[in-house]
Amino acid sequence: MLVGLPLEMVHGSGRVALIYMAGVMAGSLGTSVFDTDVYLVGASGGVYALLAAHLANVLLNYNNMQCGILRLFGILAIASCDVGYAIYSRYAAEAMGPPVSYVAHLTGALAGLTIGLLVLKNFEQKLHEQLLWWVALGVYAACTIFAVLFNIMNPTVEAVENLGDGVNSQYVYNRFGV
């Protein structure tokens, strides 16, 4: 609510929903490629996409904003603290449960930045911002295509134990979550 509502008030629900869903998908795909030993629960990729969309909003509309630099530092401070804590929890702290996937956070943020640059309203478009639009489109498309192809070409099959009550599942495709 705190992250998405300000964006939604300026740019509309459809654009914010697209950014959120792209972040969820990117978080899942990124984890399936780079960090397969963790379980994904929740929507951290989508939340980080919304955080990074604030960064995209500042990049696109800096000249029309009041306190744009303050917004930029606030976004970076919140994201840096949370990603730092996730990395610390994963590698330095005593494990209390399944590890946290910081890769979902980072790939969700990358999706939020790139999709945010593509779909958020730019109130004064300049020539160099058109180039930035094409670069963002290329980065998002290349990363998504790579992750999908990686998952198709490298399916991980693991045996599953007896689930009880006569239910015995033989295989689970980890990377697809099926």
Side-chain angles (χ1 to χ4, degrees), residues 1 9 13 19 25 30 33 36-37 42 44 46 73 82 92 123 130 138 159-160 172-173 177:
M1 291 289 294
M9 290 173 61
S13 301
I19 293 168
M25 183 180 76
V33 172
T36 59
D37 297 334
S44 61
F73 284 129
D82 193 54
F123 297 114
Q130 290 177 348
V160 175
V172 172
Y173 285 92

Side-chain angles (χ1 to χ4, degrees), residues 19 48-49 52-53 55-56 59 108-118 136:
I19 293 168
Y48 267 83
L55 177 61
L59 291 173
L110 177 65
L113 179 62
T114 55
I115 296 297
L117 289 171
L118 294 174

